[in-house]
Amino acid sequence: MSTKGIKEIILKGFGASPGICIGRAYLLDKADIEVVSKYHISKEGVKNEKNRFKTAVKNAKDELSIIIKDFTKEFRQYASILESHILLLNDKTLHGKTIEFIEVEHINAEWALKKVVIDIKAKFQNMQDGYLKERYADIVHVADRIMINLVGVKDVNIKGIEKNVVLVSHDLSPAQTSQIDMEKIMGIVTDRGSMTSHTSIIAKSIGIPGVFGVENSTIMIKEGDLLILDGSTGLVIINPSEKTVVDYEDKKNKYEKQKAALIKYKDITSETTDKVHIMVLGNIELPEEAVTVLNCGGDGIGLYRTEFQYLGRNFFPSEQELFSHYKEVIEKMFPKYVTIRTLDINGDKAISRTTHPIEPNPALGLRAIRYCLKRTDVFMTQLRAILRAAVFGNVRILFPLICDYTEILEAKRFLYKAANSLDIEGIPYKRDIEIGIMIEVPSAVIMADIMAEQVDFFSIGTNDLIQYSLAIDRNNQQVAHLYNQFHPAIIRMIKHVADVGKKKGIKVFMCGEMAGDPMNTPILLGIGLDELSMNPQSIPNIKRMIRALNADEARIFVAELLKKKTSAEVKDAVLDSYGKIIKKYI
Ligand code: PEP
Ligand code: MG
């Protein structure tokens, strides 16, 4: 399988999803589309360059026409959106100006197109009108399609990939990742991304090795290159030698054997040596993953990220569609709990550009509960579906990104409104349903005592709590090294929330990535959390880890930990006291 005579190249990124794979590279897109270079065209070459641009436009147009033609009946109503894109391809500003730049400035087509889009952006940027902003989004969409044709990269539908390959991409959206077919895609390498991005979370959930934040991977790796990907260490090896392939085949076998062996621990109870029982649950993104949670021994679903049913499409799911997804999960998990989080859309899980304007700073934008309280029609549809599905088992409802007390009141008001509307229509639904909020921004931590009065439980979302407390974009590989779960401020915040929960008599859970890392288990145990929810693959290990610990000792350990001044001190303390145990479960 190795590539004789070609030099082996090792690239380093973040181990975003553990596991090893060996396979041929499939380049999904290239950084080139964003980092196009400028070059001068001779006077004689201008005509050629204009033709190159026109061909790219024609190809883009053909692609759109094929998509429209292939639309099934249910999608046909959206054909008009793509038809408007076809018209935009010949738009005077986009098409005419690009040709003009090539002619007048003697520059390459990619650069001319990029320049036109920048000019258009400047004009649209300050517009308040949502409709016009959406038109800008359409122009970008169309320009991207032309650019893809110009630089000659594939704009593929991931679902349609037929061979066993390692995906190499500049970036991969959570929507694209959720389309991955495990039978076809062996692993993922991206230029961008970080360990707590949603793309990484999904890769872990479906059990595909991933290395993210490998700068220039899309430039260094060529289509068809043999690759070794080690998602545990964050290494990508291009054109490995025969010896390296043999070594990694061995490592891969060992890893897979270990993983398979873990499953035998799935049914053990997660009880400490001093008999403190902590529930270990799974996080899911898609209904099909519920079975993985059960297979891994999960005590329920601590976080159902429902937004994935809204991504990668130009319209919202109907109440009936949502209801049947939720019902499927709830019935499968019965009598275990399913914690359904209401739509946490946008941020890095942007819905289609055609249904939402571009935001300058999406992480601080119209995301999650903010979006739902604005698009109350979308919110009500989901709430009605949850209440109806709850009849079929045990459900809790969880509101994301709560920053303000009034957001809880408003969210609950809509929940009651949804219940009333079902009452009026005589549709069966579950009335008594536990309501919780995600604690994932500092204002919710500080206001936890007040917020506790309105809810039945808290669930700490450390992925965002770290992002918003330490001012670290969780998707930005440039600052990924600063994203630190051991920061004393984070440990103190978690402790504060747990203490408030105890005082107010409500349960406190954790569903952020911290919960699934054995390094944190002694801390979370000592802090006194009631439940931990994580990517399903981590469940057996965390259960074993809990069984190796003593809750009383962990409490004493945490009391000392709270005095630490730096992340390094916290990490060292964990390793000093628990390093030997952790090593067994990592
Ligand atoms: C979190 O922020 O920790 C969390 C669990 O939510 P998400 O990762 O979906 O933002
Ligand atoms: Mg979150």
Side-chain angles (χ1 to χ4, degrees):
M1 211 182 183
S2 80
T3 337
K4 274 196 181 135
I6 303 178
K7 204 169 166 295
E8 176 174 298
I9 302 168
I10 300 177
L11 303 177
K12 180 93 184 87
F14 300 102
S17 175
I20 292 170
C21 71
I22 305 174
R24 298 277 168 194
Y26 187 100
L27 264 72
L28 194 60
D29 62 11
K30 289 194 113 200
D32 311 17
I33 185 172
E34 279 177 33
V35 245
V36 293
S37 47
K38 177 182 181 181
Y39 52 91
H40 184 78
I41 303 289
S42 67
K43 204 170 154 203
E44 301 72 49
V46 165
K47 190 168 170 224
N48 234 350
E49 195 62 12
K50 284 197 304 187
N51 283 341
R52 200 164 73 81
F53 177 71
K54 285 178 190 164
T55 308
V57 172
K58 183 180 176 311
N59 291 344
K61 196 190 271 180
D62 291 348
E63 284 167 9
L64 287 173
S65 305
I66 289 170
I67 296 173
I68 295 173
K69 206 169 117 249
D70 289 349
F71 268 160
T72 53
K73 212 163 122 219
E74 56 170 328
F75 281 82
R76 208 150 290 148
Q77 54 183 310
Y78 302 102
S80 61
I81 297 169
L82 295 192
E83 273 153 9
S84 73
H85 285 190
I86 290 186
L87 292 179
L88 269 177
L89 283 166
N90 287 326
D91 175 77
K92 138 141 152 290
T93 324
L94 195 66
H95 191 281
K97 272 271 172 215
T98 308
I99 293 281
E100 193 184 313
F101 276 141
I102 299 172
E103 272 172 351
V104 177
E105 298 195 31
H106 290 195
I107 49 172
N108 57 316
E110 291 89 341
W111 194 257
L113 178 61
K114 188 173 173 163
K115 205 160 133 66
V116 170
V117 174
I118 291 171
D119 284 355
I120 297 175
K121 184 177 180 183
K123 289 201 187 100
F124 275 82
Q125 202 148 39
N126 300 322
M127 288 183 181
Q128 294 304 321
D129 186 313
Y131 174 80
L132 290 176
K133 280 200 164 169
E134 279 185 30
R135 296 293 66 78
Y136 169 66
D138 286 347
I139 293 172
V140 172
H141 208 88
V142 167
D144 279 356
R145 192 168 280 282
I146 304 175
M147 194 69 92
I148 283 168
N149 277 288
L150 272 176
V151 296
V153 294
K154 293 184 261 8
D155 176 27
V156 284
N157 166 12
I158 294 185
K159 267 195 179 149
I161 298 176
E162 280 303 334
K163 36 192 177 179
N164 283 340
V165 287
V166 179
L167 272 192
V168 181
S169 178
H170 181 53
D171 201 0
L172 210 58
S173 72
Q176 285 174 312
T177 317
S178 65
Q179 291 187 336
I180 281 177
D181 177 347
M182 284 171 66
E183 305 289 315
K184 309 275 165 52
I185 311 293
M186 302 160 79
I188 314 169
V189 183
T190 62
D191 290 338
R192 285 205 186 153
S194 66
M195 273 143 82
T196 48
S197 65
H198 284 100
T199 304
S200 144
I201 288 170
I202 301 168
K204 269 188 254 173
S205 252
I206 51 183
I208 290 186
V211 181
F212 294 176
V214 188
E215 270 178 53
N216 295 331
S217 69
T218 51
I219 292 169
M220 301 292 292
I221 300 170
K222 308 269 170 309
E223 179 88 14
D225 272 352
L226 182 64
L227 298 182
I228 293 178
L229 195 152
D230 185 342
S232 309
T233 56
L235 286 188
V236 178
I237 308 173
I238 314 173
N239 299 321
S241 69
E242 245 164 51
K243 182 179 174 313
T244 312
V245 172
V246 172
D247 287 352
Y248 270 89
E249 264 164 2
D250 196 37
K251 278 189 192 168
K252 180 173 183 283
N253 287 339
K254 277 199 189 116
Y255 175 83
E256 274 158 16
K257 263 195 201 134
Q258 264 172 7
K259 201 171 145 191
L262 262 186
I263 296 298
K264 70 172 186 272
Y265 298 102
K266 75 182 182 68
D267 293 324
I268 54 175
T269 42
S270 36
E271 199 172 76
T272 60
T273 54
D274 49 346
K275 303 277 172 252
V276 175
H277 185 202
I278 296 173
M279 303 272 273
V280 180
L281 297 85
N283 296 347
I284 66 164
E285 285 74 39
L286 298 168
E288 305 84 87
E289 290 170 283
V291 60
T292 319
V293 174
L294 291 175
N295 289 341
C296 292
D299 296 317
I301 290 174
L303 172 65
Y304 178 1
R305 291 182 166 99
T306 56
E307 46 278 7
F308 288 86
Q309 269 121 282
Y310 295 69
L311 302 180
R313 54 204 278 181
N314 284 331
F315 55 98
F316 292 105
S318 66
E319 180 182 315
Q320 194 55 31
E321 181 185 338
L322 294 175
F323 165 75
S324 50
H325 278 132
Y326 302 158
K327 179 171 175 279
E328 181 190 329
V329 175
I330 293 163
E331 283 183 331
K332 188 153 279 143
M333 295 305 295
F334 184 79
K336 298 178 176 178
Y337 266 95
V338 178
T339 315
I340 304 185
R341 182 174 73 181
T342 61
L343 196 53
D344 184 356
I345 210 91
N346 291 330
D348 68 334
K349 290 170 288 190
I351 42 175
S352 161
R353 282 177 183 175
T354 49
T355 48
H356 186 69
I358 288 175
E359 294 186 286
N361 197 344
L364 304 181
L366 193 61
R367 185 192 154 178
I369 198 70
R370 303 168 183 183
Y371 181 88
C372 288
L373 293 179
K374 187 151 185 226
R375 285 296 308 264
T376 55
D377 54 331
V378 177
F379 195 31
M380 283 288 282
T381 304
Q382 184 180 35
L383 293 173
R384 280 172 55 103
I386 297 173
L387 289 173
R388 284 175 55 198
V391 171
F392 298 89
N394 288 318
V395 174
R396 302 164 177 152
I397 193 160
L398 179 59
F399 296 122
L401 208 77
I402 295 291
C403 300
D404 192 287
Y405 182 76
T406 52
E407 284 169 342
I408 310 176
L409 300 183
E410 276 294 277
K412 283 172 70 173
R413 187 166 72 79
F414 281 103
L415 187 64
Y416 301 137
K417 200 171 161 193
N420 280 343
S421 68
L422 291 168
D423 256 340
I424 292 166
E425 291 166 41
I427 300 173
Y429 70 95
K430 180 102 152 251
R431 202 169 280 272
D432 303 316
I433 193 161
E434 283 183 39
I435 301 171
I437 54 167
M438 296 280 296
I439 301 286
E440 47 188 350
V441 288
S443 63
V445 175
I446 303 282
M447 298 296 288
D449 56 334
I450 306 285
M451 293 190 176
E453 289 163 10
Q454 285 297 331
V455 294
D456 302 300
F457 67 94
F458 288 149
S459 188
I460 306 177
T462 48
N463 306 337
D464 278 315
L465 187 60
I466 298 174
Q467 153 163 272
Y468 294 122
S469 306
L470 305 185
I472 306 290
D473 177 350
R474 64 191 268 197
N475 296 302
N476 181 346
Q477 82 271 25
Q478 304 291 339
V479 286
H481 62 290
L482 300 172
Y483 188 96
N484 200 329
Q485 55 182 358
F486 296 118
H487 196 295
I490 300 299
I491 310 292
R492 285 174 181 222
M493 282 194 245
I494 300 169
K495 175 78 166 72
H496 173 74
V497 176
D499 289 349
V500 168
K502 282 202 183 74
K503 203 159 142 207
K504 295 282 177 182
I506 68 166
K507 293 211 159 147
V508 181
F509 313 143
M510 177 177 285
C511 61
E513 289 296 284
M514 259 184 96
D517 181 348
M519 282 286 280
N520 301 316
T521 317
I523 308 179
L524 305 180
L525 186 67
I527 283 178
L529 295 182
D530 297 290
E531 282 182 15
L532 303 177
S533 190
M534 59 204 63
N535 94 65
Q537 322 283 345
S538 303
I539 294 173
N541 244 351
I542 296 294
K543 279 184 152 188
R544 288 173 78 205
M545 181 77 195
I546 291 172
R547 286 168 69 86
L549 298 171
N550 178 291
D552 238 357
E553 279 170 21
R555 267 191 289 276
I556 297 166
F557 168 72
V558 164
E560 283 305 306
L561 207 64
L562 291 168
K563 298 177 191 157
K564 304 293 177 205
K565 298 190 179 83
T566 66
S567 318
E569 281 178 24
V570 171
K571 189 174 175 186
D572 286 349
V574 174
L575 288 174
D576 278 352
S577 301
Y578 293 100
K580 271 200 193 129
I581 305 177
I582 291 166
K583 233 171 119 188
K584 285 195 209 158
Y585 303 113
I586 232 154

